[in-house]
Amino acid sequence: MATTKRLCWYVSLVSIIISMVVWNSKPYITESLSRNPVDITSNMSHVKNENNQSVLPILSKQEKKKEKYLVYLCDEKKACGGWGDRQRGIVSLFILSLVWKRTLKILISSPCDIKPYYKPTKEYNWIFTEEELKGLKGKRNTTLEFMHRCKPLYDTYNLNSSDIAEVLYIKTNCVSFLPIAQKYAKFLPAYLKNKGRASVFRESWNRIMIPTDKVLSEVMKIESSGVINSDAKKSGKELVCVHLRTYLTENLTYDCGGFPPVAVTKLWNFIDGHFHNKSRIFVATDHLGIRKSAISKYGTRYIGSYASNVHPDSMRSNLTLACRSQESAYVDQLMLSKCDVLIYYRKSGFSIHASYLKTEWRNIYSIMRNSKSTFSLVKEN
Ligand SMILES: *[C@@H]1O[C@H](CO)[C@@H](O)[C@H](O)[C@H]1NC(C)=O
Ligand SMILES: *[C@@H]1O[C@H](CO)[C@@H](O)[C@H](O)[C@H]1NC(C)=O
Ligand SMILES: *[C@@H]1O[C@H](CO)[C@@H](O)[C@H](O)[C@H]1NC(C)=O
Ligand SMILES: *[C@@H]1O[C@H](CO)[C@@H](O)[C@H](O)[C@H]1NC(C)=O
Ligand SMILES: *[C@@H]1O[C@H](CO)[C@@H](O)[C@H](O)[C@H]1NC(C)=O
Ligand SMILES: *[C@@H]1O[C@H](CO)[C@@H](O)[C@H](O)[C@H]1NC(C)=O
Ligand SMILES: *[C@@H]1O[C@H](CO)[C@@H](O)[C@H](O)[C@H]1NC(C)=O
């Protein structure tokens, strides 16, 4: 009980901070319709083969000695948060690695290794090999933790000091990647300067994280399932995707401020009123009742998701379940980013990031709950 309560508290706090950041940063956001062309289907030519040492830059011994590392760590010791938290932590550390001139590495082993699902780009090879680790100072048992404390990470302690270990392990879900990019703009490449929150996230993420074929083939399978109606296709809004996070998992009755399940009919009415009646519908949710409602309402127009939705930090005891559930979270988020229309929930990092990654910055709607039974919906562009 205590654990779940704490989780609820942090979900709310993090979400409030996000909402504040999102709203506060609105006037500065410069979004364009054509987005970073690094799309999830982009080819593999710039991806390094993990086992192929020949594509590693050849460093002289001198250079190797000077190289310092910044490691995003998510292991079984303590919570790292959900996929949204992890993505924020990775992006924040990516930006700090550019500022502090450290090589970024990513170690996610809990509940399930990330490497079968995401792989690095050639530009930023974040896989830490045993070879690289050998002889480096800096131990995992000195991992610094910045969970729900972001400012100290980039503003209070001087982690740029030359005295700091060659390998700096950090566990964080830092929400402030935009303030970091703004504060240290002069140390950053042009693609991160004077950008809004969505652009900073997308430009960073797509430069480091490439979904593997295993994940992409699942996304493509869903994307091509069901019946694609040609009239619906002509409307440009053929595939309508929704992410509804309720935070109301089974037997969890107190309120974390998620989407109210009783309001779901109103959302279906909105979809009916705005999009083609033969469009396909994809709904990712943590609530079985909402899923059942969507399936019974849309029948064969419903193409998913069917994934179980379990918080990664609570699945560490069953690896089979954990890996399957992680994989479906990765698949669902990518799926959401590929739809013609995206309706996302403004209090979920998972959902917000799906909107940031959306290939085209259009037909994006956000929803926010007003009370235990109502919500409001805003067109974002
Ligand atoms: C792969 O990407 C490279 C550069 O990113 C591009 O030059 C090439 O044409 C692409 N190949 C395919 C098959 O898409
Ligand atoms: C390593 O990569 C290079 C260039 O991409 C390729 O020519 C070579 O066959 C690869 N070697 C192995 C062992 O996979
Ligand atoms: C960390 O682990 C090393 C051995 O790997 C040990 O020598 C050291 O005392 C540990 N440090 C702390 C702070 O526990
Ligand atoms: C980090 O330290 C280096 C060397 O002292 C210095 O040149 C650089 O400006 C510092 N960067 C930041 C962000 O403080
Ligand atoms: C929820 O409660 C029911 C009835 O008490 C129980 O059978 C079920 O196992 C519980 N589910 C979980 C996930 O704890
Ligand atoms: C779908 O829309 C078309 C055109 O607006 C209409 O003729 C048709 O009856 C609708 N079908 C259903 C099942 O509502
Ligand atoms: C782990 O989860 C899988 C999939 O839900 C299930 O089939 C299996 O029985 C579970 N194993 C244990 C030890 O609980």
mmCIF file of all heavy atoms in Angstrom, residues 2-24:
data_model
loop_
_atom_site.group_PDB
_atom_site.id
_atom_site.type_symbol
_atom_site.label_atom_id
_atom_site.label_comp_id
_atom_site.label_asym_id
_atom_site.label_seq_id
_atom_site.Cartn_x
_atom_site.Cartn_y
_atom_site.Cartn_z
ATOM 1 N N ALA A 2 1.855 1.240 0.932
ATOM 2 C CA ALA A 2 2.726 2.413 1.037
ATOM 3 C C ALA A 2 3.427 2.672 -0.297
ATOM 4 O O ALA A 2 3.534 3.809 -0.744
ATOM 5 C CB ALA A 2 3.755 2.194 2.132
ATOM 6 N N THR A 3 3.868 1.586 -0.908
ATOM 7 C CA THR A 3 4.596 1.720 -2.168
ATOM 8 C C THR A 3 3.718 2.357 -3.237
ATOM 9 O O THR A 3 4.136 3.277 -3.914
ATOM 10 C CB THR A 3 5.044 0.333 -2.678
ATOM 11 O OG1 THR A 3 5.401 -0.431 -1.557
ATOM 12 C CG2 THR A 3 6.202 0.448 -3.633
ATOM 13 N N THR A 4 2.478 1.826 -3.342
ATOM 14 C CA THR A 4 1.591 2.349 -4.379
ATOM 15 C C THR A 4 1.213 3.796 -4.111
ATOM 16 O O THR A 4 1.083 4.583 -5.015
ATOM 17 C CB THR A 4 0.321 1.486 -4.514
ATOM 18 O OG1 THR A 4 0.203 0.700 -3.350
ATOM 19 C CG2 THR A 4 0.415 0.593 -5.719
ATOM 20 N N LYS A 5 1.056 4.107 -2.828
ATOM 21 C CA LYS A 5 0.729 5.501 -2.489
ATOM 22 C C LYS A 5 1.856 6.427 -2.922
ATOM 23 O O LYS A 5 1.634 7.472 -3.481
ATOM 24 C CB LYS A 5 0.477 5.631 -0.989
ATOM 25 C CG LYS A 5 -1.000 5.523 -0.671
ATOM 26 C CD LYS A 5 -1.369 6.315 0.566
ATOM 27 C CE LYS A 5 -2.871 6.319 0.743
ATOM 28 N NZ LYS A 5 -3.311 5.644 1.936
ATOM 29 N N ARG A 6 3.072 5.967 -2.650
ATOM 30 C CA ARG A 6 4.224 6.776 -3.022
ATOM 31 C C ARG A 6 4.252 6.958 -4.538
ATOM 32 O O ARG A 6 4.486 8.028 -5.048
ATOM 33 C CB ARG A 6 5.502 6.104 -2.523
ATOM 34 C CG ARG A 6 6.631 7.090 -2.306
ATOM 35 C CD ARG A 6 7.751 6.473 -1.488
ATOM 36 N NE ARG A 6 8.290 5.293 -2.078
ATOM 37 C CZ ARG A 6 8.447 4.143 -1.438
ATOM 38 N NH1 ARG A 6 8.096 4.027 -0.192
ATOM 39 N NH2 ARG A 6 8.953 3.106 -2.067
ATOM 40 N N LEU A 7 3.956 5.865 -5.238
ATOM 41 C CA LEU A 7 3.942 5.892 -6.692
ATOM 42 C C LEU A 7 2.935 6.925 -7.177
ATOM 43 O O LEU A 7 3.198 7.734 -8.039
ATOM 44 C CB LEU A 7 3.573 4.507 -7.215
ATOM 45 C CG LEU A 7 3.525 4.368 -8.730
ATOM 46 C CD1 LEU A 7 4.930 4.346 -9.291
ATOM 47 C CD2 LEU A 7 2.785 3.103 -9.107
ATOM 48 N N CYS A 8 1.760 6.878 -6.552
ATOM 49 C CA CYS A 8 0.696 7.794 -6.917
ATOM 50 C C CYS A 8 1.145 9.232 -6.707
ATOM 51 O O CYS A 8 0.987 10.073 -7.558
ATOM 52 C CB CYS A 8 -0.519 7.495 -6.041
ATOM 53 S SG CYS A 8 -1.995 8.332 -6.553
ATOM 54 N N TRP A 9 1.775 9.449 -5.572
ATOM 55 C CA TRP A 9 2.236 10.796 -5.260
ATOM 56 C C TRP A 9 3.216 11.266 -6.320
ATOM 57 O O TRP A 9 3.131 12.363 -6.829
ATOM 58 C CB TRP A 9 2.918 10.785 -3.887
ATOM 59 C CG TRP A 9 3.707 12.021 -3.638
ATOM 60 C CD1 TRP A 9 3.217 13.235 -3.231
ATOM 61 C CD2 TRP A 9 5.100 12.200 -3.829
ATOM 62 N NE1 TRP A 9 4.223 14.155 -3.158
ATOM 63 C CE2 TRP A 9 5.393 13.550 -3.517
ATOM 64 C CE3 TRP A 9 6.151 11.368 -4.231
ATOM 65 C CZ2 TRP A 9 6.682 14.073 -3.599
ATOM 66 C CZ3 TRP A 9 7.434 11.882 -4.314
ATOM 67 C CH2 TRP A 9 7.686 13.229 -3.995
ATOM 68 N N TYR A 10 4.117 10.395 -6.656
ATOM 69 C CA TYR A 10 5.144 10.864 -7.583
ATOM 70 C C TYR A 10 4.596 11.028 -8.980
ATOM 71 O O TYR A 10 4.959 11.951 -9.698
ATOM 72 C CB TYR A 10 6.398 9.987 -7.489
ATOM 73 C CG TYR A 10 6.697 9.070 -8.647
ATOM 74 C CD1 TYR A 10 7.005 9.600 -9.895
ATOM 75 C CD2 TYR A 10 6.716 7.696 -8.495
ATOM 76 C CE1 TYR A 10 7.292 8.753 -10.950
ATOM 77 C CE2 TYR A 10 6.998 6.865 -9.533
ATOM 78 C CZ TYR A 10 7.274 7.400 -10.765
ATOM 79 O OH TYR A 10 7.556 6.577 -11.803
ATOM 80 N N VAL A 11 3.651 10.169 -9.328
ATOM 81 C CA VAL A 11 2.999 10.321 -10.627
ATOM 82 C C VAL A 11 2.386 11.712 -10.711
ATOM 83 O O VAL A 11 2.581 12.435 -11.660
ATOM 84 C CB VAL A 11 1.911 9.234 -10.802
ATOM 85 C CG1 VAL A 11 0.895 9.650 -11.848
ATOM 86 C CG2 VAL A 11 2.551 7.912 -11.178
ATOM 87 N N SER A 12 1.679 12.099 -9.642
ATOM 88 C CA SER A 12 1.018 13.389 -9.667
ATOM 89 C C SER A 12 2.021 14.520 -9.711
ATOM 90 O O SER A 12 1.905 15.429 -10.507
ATOM 91 C CB SER A 12 0.150 13.566 -8.429
ATOM 92 O OG SER A 12 -0.579 12.391 -8.219
ATOM 93 N N LEU A 13 3.044 14.420 -8.865
ATOM 94 C CA LEU A 13 4.014 15.505 -8.793
ATOM 95 C C LEU A 13 4.702 15.689 -10.133
ATOM 96 O O LEU A 13 4.757 16.790 -10.669
ATOM 97 C CB LEU A 13 5.057 15.210 -7.710
ATOM 98 C CG LEU A 13 6.084 16.334 -7.596
ATOM 99 C CD1 LEU A 13 5.413 17.589 -7.045
ATOM 100 C CD2 LEU A 13 7.244 15.925 -6.714
ATOM 101 N N VAL A 14 5.195 14.587 -10.664
ATOM 102 C CA VAL A 14 5.907 14.665 -11.934
ATOM 103 C C VAL A 14 4.984 15.246 -12.996
ATOM 104 O O VAL A 14 5.374 16.099 -13.776
ATOM 105 C CB VAL A 14 6.445 13.275 -12.342
ATOM 106 C CG1 VAL A 14 6.912 13.275 -13.782
ATOM 107 C CG2 VAL A 14 7.579 12.866 -11.424
ATOM 108 N N SER A 15 3.725 14.802 -12.981
ATOM 109 C CA SER A 15 2.792 15.272 -13.995
ATOM 110 C C SER A 15 2.516 16.755 -13.851
ATOM 111 O O SER A 15 2.439 17.477 -14.823
ATOM 112 C CB SER A 15 1.476 14.528 -13.887
ATOM 113 O OG SER A 15 1.721 13.170 -13.715
ATOM 114 N N ILE A 16 2.397 17.201 -12.596
ATOM 115 C CA ILE A 16 2.133 18.626 -12.383
ATOM 116 C C ILE A 16 3.302 19.432 -12.933
ATOM 117 O O ILE A 16 3.121 20.409 -13.639
ATOM 118 C CB ILE A 16 1.922 18.930 -10.874
ATOM 119 C CG1 ILE A 16 0.586 18.337 -10.437
ATOM 120 C CG2 ILE A 16 1.963 20.417 -10.605
ATOM 121 C CD1 ILE A 16 0.434 18.201 -8.941
ATOM 122 N N ILE A 17 4.512 18.958 -12.625
ATOM 123 C CA ILE A 17 5.691 19.668 -13.120
ATOM 124 C C ILE A 17 5.686 19.700 -14.644
ATOM 125 O O ILE A 17 5.899 20.730 -15.252
ATOM 126 C CB ILE A 17 6.984 19.014 -12.590
ATOM 127 C CG1 ILE A 17 7.042 19.185 -11.067
ATOM 128 C CG2 ILE A 17 8.209 19.642 -13.223
ATOM 129 C CD1 ILE A 17 8.071 18.329 -10.389
ATOM 130 N N ILE A 18 5.372 18.539 -15.239
ATOM 131 C CA ILE A 18 5.333 18.490 -16.697
ATOM 132 C C ILE A 18 4.317 19.493 -17.237
ATOM 133 O O ILE A 18 4.624 20.272 -18.108
ATOM 134 C CB ILE A 18 4.939 17.089 -17.209
ATOM 135 C CG1 ILE A 18 6.038 16.107 -16.869
ATOM 136 C CG2 ILE A 18 4.747 17.098 -18.725
ATOM 137 C CD1 ILE A 18 5.642 14.698 -17.156
ATOM 138 N N SER A 19 3.109 19.457 -16.649
ATOM 139 C CA SER A 19 2.082 20.360 -17.153
ATOM 140 C C SER A 19 2.566 21.796 -17.063
ATOM 141 O O SER A 19 2.390 22.582 -17.973
ATOM 142 C CB SER A 19 0.790 20.235 -16.358
ATOM 143 O OG SER A 19 0.552 18.889 -16.056
ATOM 144 N N MET A 20 3.214 22.116 -15.935
ATOM 145 C CA MET A 20 3.713 23.473 -15.778
ATOM 146 C C MET A 20 4.727 23.791 -16.856
ATOM 147 O O MET A 20 4.654 24.823 -17.509
ATOM 148 C CB MET A 20 4.367 23.636 -14.402
ATOM 149 C CG MET A 20 3.353 23.861 -13.289
ATOM 150 S SD MET A 20 4.074 23.575 -11.677
ATOM 151 C CE MET A 20 5.556 24.542 -11.792
ATOM 152 N N VAL A 21 5.655 22.860 -17.045
ATOM 153 C CA VAL A 21 6.696 23.098 -18.033
ATOM 154 C C VAL A 21 6.075 23.228 -19.413
ATOM 155 O O VAL A 21 6.388 24.133 -20.169
ATOM 156 C CB VAL A 21 7.734 21.954 -18.004
ATOM 157 C CG1 VAL A 21 8.676 22.082 -19.170
ATOM 158 C CG2 VAL A 21 8.489 21.971 -16.697
ATOM 159 N N VAL A 22 5.136 22.304 -19.700
ATOM 160 C CA VAL A 22 4.507 22.332 -21.019
ATOM 161 C C VAL A 22 3.831 23.678 -21.235
ATOM 162 O O VAL A 22 4.029 24.330 -22.238
ATOM 163 C CB VAL A 22 3.482 21.186 -21.152
ATOM 164 C CG1 VAL A 22 2.622 21.378 -22.389
ATOM 165 C CG2 VAL A 22 4.215 19.855 -21.229
ATOM 166 N N TRP A 23 3.050 24.098 -20.215
ATOM 167 C CA TRP A 23 2.323 25.351 -20.410
ATOM 168 C C TRP A 23 3.241 26.541 -20.405
ATOM 169 O O TRP A 23 3.107 27.439 -21.211
ATOM 170 C CB TRP A 23 1.210 25.482 -19.375
ATOM 171 C CG TRP A 23 0.141 24.492 -19.638
ATOM 172 C CD1 TRP A 23 -0.281 23.491 -18.823
ATOM 173 C CD2 TRP A 23 -0.617 24.344 -20.847
ATOM 174 N NE1 TRP A 23 -1.240 22.743 -19.451
ATOM 175 C CE2 TRP A 23 -1.467 23.247 -20.680
ATOM 176 C CE3 TRP A 23 -0.646 25.042 -22.052
ATOM 177 C CZ2 TRP A 23 -2.345 22.813 -21.675
ATOM 178 C CZ3 TRP A 23 -1.515 24.624 -23.045
ATOM 179 C CH2 TRP A 23 -2.350 23.527 -22.847
ATOM 180 N N ASN A 24 4.213 26.521 -19.464
ATOM 181 C CA ASN A 24 5.104 27.676 -19.392
ATOM 182 C C ASN A 24 5.933 27.841 -20.643
ATOM 183 O O ASN A 24 6.292 28.935 -21.018
ATOM 184 C CB ASN A 24 6.049 27.544 -18.190
ATOM 185 C CG ASN A 24 5.278 27.692 -16.896
ATOM 186 O OD1 ASN A 24 4.170 28.198 -16.900
ATOM 187 N ND2 ASN A 24 5.855 27.238 -15.801
#
